Amino acid sequence: MFFIEAKRIVVVIFGSLLVAISLNFFLINANVYASGFAGAAQLVSSVLKDYSGLNISTGILLLLFNIPVFILGWFKVGKGFTIYSIVSVIFATSFMGILPVLSVSDDILLNAVFGGAIAGIGVGISFKLGASTGGMDIVAMVLSRLQDKPIGTYFLVLNGIIIVAAGFLYEPENALYTMVALYVTTAVIDTLHTRHEKVTAMIVTHKADELQYAIHQQMVRGITIIPAKGAYSREDKNMMYLVITRYELYDLEKIIKEVDPNAFTNIVQTVGIFGFFRREGEVVKKP
């Protein structure tokens, strides 16, 4: 377990370094904006510098924007997930303060593409191990637990505000190149992680009761348990059927490995659902 958590920390720090490189070397000087809170911090930093003469770095603003989100995540999402998010943002802020702000290329399109790709790698590898880069990731987790609405809508609204503001306050071309950077970031994250906001897990196991209890200790999700039989072994088993968000995929994999390493799990995309997940506050009975 120590090595697993150490690996997670190293990956989160490396992801933070990539996000800082994306911003300092490609996006900031080109006035092309990243997605989520990083883009919001970048835009506010530019506006303060150009319109009021205040020079507050993007990294410092990113940290300040995340403080209320960390508090929300601590109580609504979980301490582990929030701690990794705090580590990510602190290191991203530190790296942005250490690395110089420069232009690797004078071509704004190259800055948008490579900046977006590097940021996508940093965020994607963090998602892959169940960590977070803070900001909208935590907001998405909270919303996914409170109500069954597309998380992408909230990302779209925030990023839409950034794009419109970039076009209004600066050149319209900046808004267009920001759209390019956001598209590249999203495509890279999808490639490294999973593009579907909700996925369906079908788990064939001998330990359905223990697994169900372990899952419900960490996730607010409904589970259907269906009797099953092995075609070759003829052994009686159970198949657990549940829908989760992509942010919970790492935690589910970790739980399965701890409770029943021999379980067979199939993850498939979920286009949409009707009905409700298990609501918070319900009592989970121990098997």
Side-chain angles (χ1 to χ4, degrees), residues 196-211:
H196 311 292
E197 291 173 355
K198 290 185 177 67
V199 295
T200 297
M202 290 173 282
I203 310 164
V204 180
T205 176
H206 286 289
K207 301 180 179 180
D209 291 337
E210 295 93 329
L211 200 51

Side-chain angles (χ1 to χ4, degrees), residues 152-164:
T153 302
Y154 301 97
F155 282 99
L156 182 63
V157 169
L158 179 60
N159 290 329
I161 293 172
I162 294 171
I163 291 170
V164 171

Side-chain angles (χ1 to χ4, degrees), residues 3-166:
F3 291 106
I4 292 175
E5 296 303 323
K7 176 184 176 183
R8 208 173 177 186
I9 287 288
V10 170
V11 170
V12 167
I13 294 173
F14 182 63
S16 302
L17 174 61
L18 292 179
V19 171
I21 289 173
S22 166
L23 289 163
N24 280 25
F25 290 0
F26 295 95
L27 301 180
I28 290 179
N29 274 352
N31 278 334
V32 175
Y33 299 96
S35 64
F37 277 32
Q42 190 183 349
L43 180 62
V44 171
S45 178
S46 297
V47 170
L48 290 176
K49 181 179 180 180
D50 295 340
Y51 289 88
S52 66
L54 293 175
N55 192 7
I56 304 177
S57 72
T58 300
I60 295 298
L61 289 172
L62 178 61
L63 181 61
L64 292 176
F65 288 173
N66 272 283
I67 289 175
V69 180
F70 289 152
I71 296 172
L72 178 67
W74 186 268
F75 292 103
K76 288 294 185 180
V77 177
K79 296 179 176 60
F81 187 86
T82 306
I83 287 171
Y84 285 114
S85 301
I86 293 172
V87 170
S88 175
V89 172
I90 288 176
F91 272 93
T93 301
S94 301
F95 287 135
M96 290 178 68
I98 295 170
L99 297 173
V101 178
L102 52 85
S103 296
V104 174
S105 172
D106 294 328
D107 189 319
I108 190 171
L109 180 59
L110 288 177
N111 285 317
V113 171
F114 280 94
I118 293 172
I121 294 172
V123 175
I125 61 176
S126 297
F127 280 170
K128 193 72 175 178
L129 292 185
S132 160
T133 54
M136 283 301 293
D137 302 337
I138 294 178
V139 174
M141 284 290 290
V142 172
L143 292 173
S144 72
R145 295 189 176 197
L146 293 178
Q147 53 187 325
D148 181 29
K149 290 186 179 180
I151 295 170
T153 302
Y154 301 97
F155 282 99
L156 182 63
V157 169
L158 179 60
N159 290 329
I161 293 172
I162 294 171
I163 291 170
V164 171

Side-chain angles (χ1 to χ4, degrees), residues 209-226:
D209 291 337
E210 295 93 329
L211 200 51
Q212 172 265 321
Y213 180 75
I215 291 171
H216 276 162
Q217 290 302 298
Q218 293 194 37
M219 299 182 190
V220 187
R221 294 290 171 255
I223 301 174
T224 300
I225 301 177
I226 306 168

